[in-house]
Amino acid sequence: LKASVDTFTKANKGIKVSFAGPLMADEKNIQPVVNTLKPYIISDGINFVVTHGTHEGHAVEKTYLAVQKAVEKTYVKAFVGSIEGVPDMETSLEMVEKIKDKKVRFLVFMFVAGDHAENDIAGDEDDSLFSVVKEMGKTPDVVMVKTSKGERILSLGLVPAYQKLLIDHIAKTVK
């Protein structure tokens, strides 16, 4: 990617391109990102933060585990599970099942609430998270937001406080 950008900028004098690393690659940014969830956290049930995850052994696993630690430290009855990899979804679901509360709010901890949110989390299939918690006798929900494209499942990319963190992160790189 960098080589392509270098070729482009050499051919287009006056255009400056900067690269910013992932926002949560720096662990000091994890807690502020977790804090952006606060307006969507429920007090009358369980909050289940769903990350994308990645294959076992990938370097980003430490970031997902740091997110889990920050979520569990910051919010009561809050758990983190990944669609792929760590934190382990099965272990988190076992913890949810043990709690008597009936309401389970799923919070999509991904930039975009696409296929994973629509199918793996809120889908009608037997193995979706909605179906799994319904089988436990619980009531699942997700936060829906109105966008110019209609109503969508809330993801980090639609959270105003997260947008500000991301823009500030990018702005530091451009300076």
Side-chain angles (χ1 to χ4, degrees), residues 53-64:
T54 191
H55 60 84
E56 190 174 332
H58 193 283
V60 78
E61 280 186 352
K62 71 177 186 150
T63 302
Y64 288 118

Side-chain angles (χ1 to χ4, degrees), residues 41-73:
I41 294 290
I42 57 172
S43 59
D44 62 340
I46 301 164
N47 295 283
F48 198 110
V49 177
V50 183
T51 66
H52 187 281
T54 191
H55 60 84
E56 190 174 332
H58 193 283
V60 78
E61 280 186 352
K62 71 177 186 150
T63 302
Y64 288 118
L65 293 171
V67 167
Q68 179 183 31
K69 183 177 177 182
V71 165
E72 292 174 357
K73 178 184 91 174

Side-chain angles (χ1 to χ4, degrees), residues 40-42 46-49 103-107 141-143:
Y40 312 102
I41 294 290
I42 57 172
I46 301 164
N47 295 283
F48 198 110
V49 177
K103 187 174 184 180
V104 179
R105 160 132 325 146
F106 288 101
L107 297 154
D141 88 330
V142 291
V143 178

Side-chain angles (χ1 to χ4, degrees), residues 6-16:
D6 287 344
T7 301
F8 174 81
T9 55
K10 284 178 186 169
N12 296 277
K13 301 290 183 206
I15 294 178
K16 179 183 173 190

Side-chain angles (χ1 to χ4, degrees), residues 87-101:
D88 177 57
M89 185 65 73
E90 297 307 317
T91 302
S92 299
L93 286 169
E94 288 170 8
M95 295 166 70
V96 166
E97 189 169 27
K98 291 177 184 175
I99 295 177
K100 292 183 176 152
D101 294 55

Side-chain angles (χ1 to χ4, degrees), residues 1-170:
L1 177 65
K2 188 161 180 358
S4 295
V5 170
D6 287 344
T7 301
F8 174 81
T9 55
K10 284 178 186 169
N12 296 277
K13 301 290 183 206
I15 294 178
K16 179 183 173 190
V17 177
S18 299
F19 288 89
L23 176 61
M24 290 186 288
D26 185 340
E27 284 198 30
K28 76 174 195 264
N29 293 327
I30 291 173
Q31 188 65 53
V33 172
V34 167
N35 291 346
T36 68
L37 299 176
K38 188 174 183 177
Y40 312 102
I41 294 290
I42 57 172
S43 59
D44 62 340
I46 301 164
N47 295 283
F48 198 110
V49 177
V50 183
T51 66
H52 187 281
T54 191
H55 60 84
E56 190 174 332
H58 193 283
V60 78
E61 280 186 352
K62 71 177 186 150
T63 302
Y64 288 118
L65 293 171
V67 167
Q68 179 183 31
K69 183 177 177 182
V71 165
E72 292 174 357
K73 178 184 91 174
T74 306
Y75 304 113
V76 177
K77 291 188 241 172
F79 302 96
V80 178
S82 290
I83 300 295
E84 304 168 12
V86 297
D88 177 57
M89 185 65 73
E90 297 307 317
T91 302
S92 299
L93 286 169
E94 288 170 8
M95 295 166 70
V96 166
E97 189 169 27
K98 291 177 184 175
I99 295 177
K100 292 183 176 152
D101 294 55
K102 295 294 182 193
K103 187 174 184 180
V104 179
R105 160 132 325 146
F106 288 101
L107 297 154
V108 180
F109 202 79
M110 302 175 208
F111 189 73
V112 174
D115 181 64
H116 284 310
E118 294 169 2
N119 296 306
D120 299 328
I121 299 170
D124 294 330
E125 300 82 19
D126 291 342
D127 62 346
S128 75
L129 293 175
F130 263 42
S131 295
V132 171
V133 299
K134 282 180 185 176
E135 281 291 316
M136 294 176 187
K138 299 184 184 294
T139 305
D141 88 330
V142 291
V143 178
M144 300 297 291
V145 293
K146 291 184 181 181
T147 71
S148 61
K149 304 275 184 189
E151 201 169 54
R152 300 277 190 247
I153 296 173
L154 180 77
S155 63
L156 287 176
L158 296 172
V159 173
Y162 177 81
Q163 292 169 357
K164 181 176 181 344
L165 288 174
L166 190 57
I167 289 167
D168 290 349
H169 176 68
I170 294 167

